[in-house]
Amino acid sequence: MKRKTEEKMWPYPKVLAHRGAGTLAPENTMAAMRYGWEHGFAAVEFDVMLSKDQRPVVIHDEDFGRTVAGNGKVPGHDAAFIMQQDAGAWFSADYKGEPVPDYASVVNFCRSRGIWMNVEMKPAQGYERETGLVVAAETLQLFADLSPVDKQHLPLFSSFSRAALLAAHEVAPHIPRALLVREAGPDWKLHLQEVGACALHIRHDCLTRDLAVQVKDAGYGLFCYTVNSPERARELLSWGVDAFCTDRIDLIPADF
Ligand code: G3P
Ligand code: MG
């Protein structure tokens, strides 16, 4: 009976490729999605942010300079411009010219292959609510063919921003939400309740066995980021952690 309840808390895969293929391909690009898929991963986490013209693009940093060159900001440019930026050259010459993808392209790629998605809403500062509203609205369109109760195939939204999660709930209440935290403060349960989250996503080295037990006993899914050692992954799973994402899809395979 207990086992059945646990399955409902986390009806998703156990190991997710972080940002597409972790550190083995340029993060949050189509090349990364392809690399993860070709290496056996059918579950992925990626980051979504709004451009100036309010289109969701798949990128982690608000500021240019790391994965795309220059001094701009994602919310300072239209999606058409951002999607022309080279998000592969920083990683290696092999990926030079790999563009920033939009959200729809990544979703369509994943859906066509049965890859399950944890969509991290990563609002640029000051755009928390807009990001939740727009990403949720576009998700409704991209998954319009699925039943609202098809939890296994619908994506899971996650965010460090409670405002983004609340906004997503307004637009798409049936798409599950997880609250992302670096560490859980004393109010973690209140915060989960506030946004109607089904799971807590926490930085793995901020999780204790004690907290893991509390989260599971309270009936929530429990997910850790970003776990790159098989030993640590085994330890977390032994504490009751349901799932985690990894940058090292070479060390921690999808069927770990
Ligand atoms: O969603 C888990 C993880 O991706 C959160 O942190 O900074 O890697 O997006 P970050
Ligand atoms: Mg992320």
Side-chain angles (χ1 to χ4, degrees):
M1 189 62 188
K2 183 152 190 263
R3 187 170 168 72
K4 194 151 191 222
T5 312
E6 280 171 5
E7 279 167 9
K8 279 188 191 155
M9 282 180 206
W10 189 267
Y12 310 121
K14 185 168 60 179
V15 192
L16 278 62
H18 187 224
R19 306 183 191 173
T23 46
L24 302 186
E27 65 181 55
N28 288 319
T29 61
M30 293 304 297
M33 304 302 149
R34 275 194 297 276
Y35 192 103
W37 170 246
E38 284 162 6
H39 289 75
F41 273 75
V44 71
E45 183 267 4
F46 55 84
D47 305 292
V48 180
M49 194 177 294
L50 292 192
S51 61
K52 183 179 180 185
D53 53 346
Q54 301 245 309
R55 285 186 53 203
V57 291
V58 177
I59 192 165
H60 181 278
D61 295 7
E62 176 171 345
D63 293 306
F64 292 6
R66 185 175 66 88
T67 63
V68 301
N71 299 312
K73 278 180 171 287
V74 173
H77 292 282
D78 286 349
F81 176 83
I82 296 167
M83 291 168 66
Q84 283 166 11
Q85 302 310 298
D86 186 333
W90 71 278
F91 186 86
S92 78
D94 290 347
Y95 289 102
K96 190 170 169 6
E98 181 67 34
V100 175
D102 64 0
Y103 178 45
S105 304
V106 173
V107 168
N108 290 331
F109 175 89
C110 291
R111 285 211 63 194
S112 68
R113 287 158 182 81
I115 300 171
W116 179 74
M117 288 160 266
N118 170 201
V119 177
E120 183 188 343
M121 296 186 292
K122 186 76 98 183
Q125 200 178 354
Y127 296 91
E128 289 78 10
R129 183 171 158 75
E130 288 85 345
T131 304
L133 294 174
V134 173
V135 173
E138 188 154 331
T139 303
L140 279 185
Q141 288 177 13
L142 292 166
F143 291 83
D145 56 312
L146 292 190
S147 155
V149 295
D150 190 356
K151 272 177 76 178
Q152 272 181 308
H153 296 105
L154 289 170
L156 174 64
F157 289 145
S158 62
S159 189
F160 290 103
S161 165
R162 302 207 295 279
L165 291 170
L166 280 169
H169 175 252
E170 279 178 39
V171 173
H174 68 284
I175 310 266
R177 295 163 304 285
L179 180 63
L180 256 166
V181 296
R182 183 190 155 92
E183 45 195 324
D187 293 334
W188 64 267
K189 204 188 292 184
L190 277 178
H191 291 155
L192 287 176
Q193 286 165 351
E194 178 195 337
V195 298
C198 62
L200 180 70
H201 288 202
I202 187 168
R203 198 174 130 135
H204 82 88
D205 49 3
C206 294
L207 182 71
T208 60
R209 184 197 293 262
D210 220 40
L211 178 61
V213 170
Q214 286 179 48
V215 174
K216 294 309 299 172
D217 282 353
Y220 292 104
L222 180 56
F223 174 95
C224 286
Y225 71 93
T226 298
V227 184
N228 295 328
S229 117
E231 295 72 31
R232 178 61 172 161
R234 273 189 280 277
E235 180 175 46
L236 292 166
L237 293 171
S238 79
W239 291 356
V241 167
D242 294 296
F244 59 88
C245 60
T246 184
D247 282 331
R248 295 302 305 267
I249 66 172
D250 51 339
L251 298 179
I252 305 181
D255 62 353
F256 183 76

